[in-house]
Amino acid sequence: MAIFMIEHGSFQMEVIDQTLVVKCFDAWNTETVVRMCKEYKELVKTIKDKPWACLVDLSQWELSTPDMWEKIDELNEWANQNNQKYEAVICSLSIQRMFLEASHEVLTNVESRFCDDLQEAFNWLQSVGVYNSPS
């Protein structure tokens, strides 16, 4: 008999111009991370022919189970090899930033910036040419 774990936490993702916007909510477990990584790669396939960015909004996120970071490291390595050039991150907790800074070590081709809010993140991504603000 198979035992299926129910996802805890949620996320929303959308592509805007050459930017994948990821908004994370609540506390995550492994099942949520696995689904997010799969959907992330599917969306990136639509923009990876040109340099692209990821905007990660963690302002409503409450961390996750420790095993998540291995999957995030793998995802970052994949993104690094698939034309990601920029990453903007919005953190609400200093511990989030600490974990994210460690996970970004594999992003050798990616310029990362921590931002205070969405507007600051969008402004920076617009300045590097991967996001056009709606008029």
Side-chain angles (χ1 to χ4, degrees), residues 6-7 14 16 18 26 34 39 43 46 66 69-70 77 80-81 89 95 111 114 129:
I6 297 171
E7 288 185 19
E14 66 178 324
I16 304 173
Q18 283 299 109
D26 306 317
V34 167
E39 291 182 20
L43 284 171
T46 68
W69 294 105
E70 181 181 334
E77 286 179 29
N80 196 53
Q81 296 165 4
V89 182
I95 191 166
E111 182 179 345
F114 287 87

Side-chain angles (χ1 to χ4, degrees), residues 38-97:
K38 183 178 178 212
E39 291 182 20
Y40 181 107
K41 289 179 180 179
E42 288 302 311
L43 284 171
V44 166
K45 286 177 183 174
T46 68
I47 59 174
K48 73 180 187 123
D49 59 319
K50 295 189 288 191
W52 59 277
C54 184
L55 189 167
V56 182
D57 182 355
L58 301 176
S59 60
Q60 298 177 61
W61 185 62
E62 301 167 7
L63 296 177
S64 73
T65 54
D67 56 347
M68 173 192 123
W69 294 105
E70 181 181 334
K71 299 194 179 355
I72 294 298
D73 288 347
E74 290 169 7
L75 185 65
N76 282 338
E77 286 179 29
W78 180 89
N80 196 53
Q81 296 165 4
N82 282 274
N83 219 10
Q84 182 179 359
K85 298 301 176 206
Y86 304 98
E87 180 147 304
V89 182
I90 302 161
C91 295
S92 59
L93 303 170
S94 58
I95 191 166
Q96 292 171 336
R97 182 173 177 149

